[in-house]
Every structure is written in structure tokens, then in C-alpha cells.
């Protein structure tokens, strides 16, 4: 929401004069100059609970992660576990996690070696990748410098009663929003499944679909990793679909 603090110059002649307010003559008193009064108003608390212009970077949502055998999460959680906000184990990978995909965005992210301090570049289209000198296909058995990535906003059903990180209630269950990033093998196994459903089974809206997420250990190349297993379990009722959509509408 964008709030304007501009003066209404044209209404000055007809506006009802504001009553004088006593200002103590101390160093903390609000200045008398009109310009300074406006600046003082900008630093005051908003009159409504939430005001201002909000950008995407102002929001911090929990993340949904699948724990691998290496990396920071492996020091806290068992490999194969599905973790919420890097704090809570939702499943060890064998018990399904119920979730609803609300929005997705496909992009192309540059590959950066694990542990590197370099920030990967991200592009929205394959043309942009090619203009930057990149590609997404394997060449001469070499990993491509870019790969497709799917960023999904998901609604996760809580396996715990009355947990504060799952503030949205429907029926007898609690839910929480999270961001789930799918790249590499995760994109192939789960990302493509979601994209396909968005064009066919859930063409009328992703929020209609209930998914069950588990994981399994597979050998990819020379390494064993845990990959997501995503199954379209059911179609939501009208009531639940409306509830899910209201959280992002």
C-alpha cells in the first residue's frame, strides 16, 4: 500500500483552520516551520496498523528444504528429512507432508560451486541466458553453466497442534506459507510435475491441488542424493480452495 504525504496546496483557501496545539518550548518540541512539521509527521507512528509501500524484499517467509548428506542442514537434521524454516522437521522423508502449491515462477540460475561466496546470476528467459553467454544443455559431458529453477509458494499443513509458525487454520488443521526452491534434480523430479499439472490437471488453478511430499535416496551420477517425490493426492473442496486462495489474493 502506498501512502502519500503530499500537501493539498489548492485547498488552503477553503480548508477549516486547524486548532492551535500547545507546544512546550523545549529542545524536544516539534518545530514550527511547516516543512519541518511535515518531516516530523513522516517519523511518527502510522495512524493505521500497517502503512507504507511494501516491496517483495520486505517480506521474509519460511523455506521448505529437503536435507542432503552435506551442507549446513545436515549438521542439524537427518538426510532425507523435510524441514520447515530450517527449524522444524515435518517428516523424516517417509511420512507424507501435505502441501498446496499456490504460485510458481520459473527462472534460470547460474551454477556456483558449493561454498563459493559468488552470487549466482538469475534470468527470467532462456534468451537472456544466451545473451549472457550461457546455456542449459550438457555439452561434452560438462555441466551447463545455468539450469532451470522453479520457485514455488506453498501452503504446508502442520503436523503439530497449535504451532505458532502455522498461523492459518482451516477446519481442524493449521497451515503455514513457505517458499520452496526446486533446481537441478529437484526441478526434474518435482518442478516439472508441478508445471505439468498447472497446464493440465490443475489448469483452473494450482490452489485446487493437494500434494503429498516424501523423499528417497537415489544414485545420481557418482553420488547418492535425496530427491523429492511429489504425488498429486486429491482435489481440494471448494471451501479449502477458497481458503487457500484468500491467503495470497
Amino acid at each position: 500500500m502506498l501512502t502519500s504525504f503530499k500537501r493539498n496546496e489548492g485547498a488552503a483557501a477553503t480548508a477549516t483552520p486547524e486548532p492551535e496545539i500547545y507546544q512546550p518550548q523545549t529542545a524536544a518540541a516539534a518545530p514550527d516551520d511547516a516543512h519541518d512539521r511535515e518531516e516530523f509527521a513522516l517519523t511518527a507512528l502510522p495512524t493505521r496498523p500497517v502503512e507504507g509501500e511494501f516491496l517483495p524484499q520486505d517480506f521474509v517467509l519460511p523455506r521448505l528444504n529437503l536435507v542432503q548428506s552435506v551442507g549446513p542442514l545436515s549438521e542439524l537434521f537427518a538426510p532425507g528429512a523435510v524441514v520447515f524454516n530450517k527449524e522444524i522437521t515435518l517428516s523424516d522423508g517417509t511420512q507424507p507432508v501435505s502441501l498446496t502449491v499456490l504460485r510458481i515462477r520459473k527462472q534460470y540460475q547460474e551454477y556456483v560451486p558449493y561454498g563459493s561466496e559468488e552470487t549466482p546470476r538469475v534470468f527470467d528467459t532462456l534468451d537472456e541466458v544466451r545473451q549472457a553467454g550461457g546455456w542449459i544443455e550438457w555439452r561434452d559431458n560438462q555441466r551447463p553453466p545455468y539450469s532451470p529453477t522453479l520457485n514455488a509458494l506453498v501452503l504446508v499443513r502442520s503436523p503439530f497442534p497449535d504451532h505458532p509458525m502455522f498461523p492459518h487454520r482451516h477446519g481442524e488443521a493449521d497451515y503455514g506459507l513457505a517458499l520452496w526452491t526446486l533446481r537441478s534434480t529437484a526441478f526434474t523430479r518435482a518442478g516439472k510435475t508441478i508445471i505439468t499439472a498447472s497446464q493440465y490437471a490443475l489448469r483452473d488453478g494450482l490452489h485446487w491441488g493437494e500434494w503429498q511430499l516424501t523423499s528417497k535416496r537415489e544414485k545420481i551420477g557418482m553420488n547418492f542424493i535425496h530427491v523429492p517425490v511429489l504425488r498429486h493426492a486429491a482435489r481440494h473442496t471448494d471451501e479449502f480452495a477458497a481458503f487457500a486462495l484468500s491467503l495470497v489474493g
Side-chain angles (χ1 to χ4, degrees):
M1 175 174 61
L2 177 62
T3 303
S4 174
F5 290 92
K6 294 181 180 179
R7 298 189 191 91
N8 187 350
E9 302 287 356
T14 58
T16 303
E18 295 183 359
E20 292 186 2
I21 300 175
Y22 171 71
Q23 299 288 353
Q25 297 302 310
T26 66
D32 292 330
D33 180 79
H35 174 74
D36 289 340
R37 281 204 305 270
E38 181 176 310
E39 293 300 318
F40 179 78
L42 288 172
T43 64
L45 290 174
T47 57
R48 288 171 288 180
V50 180
E51 289 187 9
E53 179 186 34
F54 300 106
L55 305 175
Q57 56 265 37
D58 296 328
F59 299 91
V60 180
L61 287 177
R63 284 200 167 269
L64 193 67
N65 292 98
L66 177 58
V67 182
Q68 299 297 332
S69 300
V70 295
L73 288 179
S74 66
E75 300 176 4
L76 302 173
F77 304 97
V82 181
V83 174
F84 189 86
N85 200 44
K86 300 181 180 181
E87 296 180 31
I88 306 168
T89 299
L90 299 177
S91 167
D92 62 359
T94 62
Q95 296 297 317
V97 174
S98 176
L99 59 86
T100 302
V101 180
L102 301 178
R103 293 180 179 175
I104 58 174
R105 182 181 185 184
K106 181 187 174 186
Q107 294 178 299
Y108 300 90
Q109 181 168 315
E110 183 180 22
Y111 170 73
V112 173
Y114 177 75
S116 172
E117 296 182 357
E118 188 177 346
T119 301
R121 291 182 292 177
V122 179
F123 295 107
D124 290 328
T125 68
L126 190 53
D127 282 343
E128 291 174 344
V129 171
R130 289 169 176 161
Q131 289 172 13
W135 59 91
I136 64 171
E137 308 85 9
W138 283 75
R139 297 181 179 180
D140 299 326
N141 222 21
Q142 296 295 316
R143 179 175 188 150
Y146 288 85
S147 62
T149 298
L150 191 71
N151 295 300
L153 177 64
V154 297
L155 183 63
V156 182
R157 180 169 178 165
S158 172
F160 316 104
D162 300 319
H163 196 286
M165 296 198 72
F166 299 87
H168 310 291
R169 171 154 291 192
H170 180 79
E172 298 182 355
D174 297 326
Y175 298 83
L177 293 170
L179 294 175
W180 187 21
T181 298
L182 300 163
R183 62 172 64 93
S184 190
T185 304
F187 176 86
T188 303
R189 300 299 176 84
K192 288 184 177 181
T193 300
I194 298 171
I195 293 172
T196 302
S198 73
Q199 302 301 307
Y200 294 97
L202 300 176
R203 190 174 181 177
D204 54 342
L206 284 167
H207 62 285
W208 288 98
E210 178 185 354
W211 300 86
Q212 289 188 343
L213 173 65
T214 56
S215 70
K216 66 177 180 178
R217 188 169 180 262
E218 286 190 3
K219 187 176 183 181
I220 306 296
M222 300 298 294
N223 302 311
F224 282 94
I225 66 171
H226 293 271
V227 300
V229 179
L230 191 64
R231 184 174 68 89
H232 186 192
R235 187 175 175 87
H236 286 307
T237 64
D238 292 351
E239 291 77 14
F240 187 92
F243 156 71
L245 193 60
S246 70
L247 299 178
V248 293

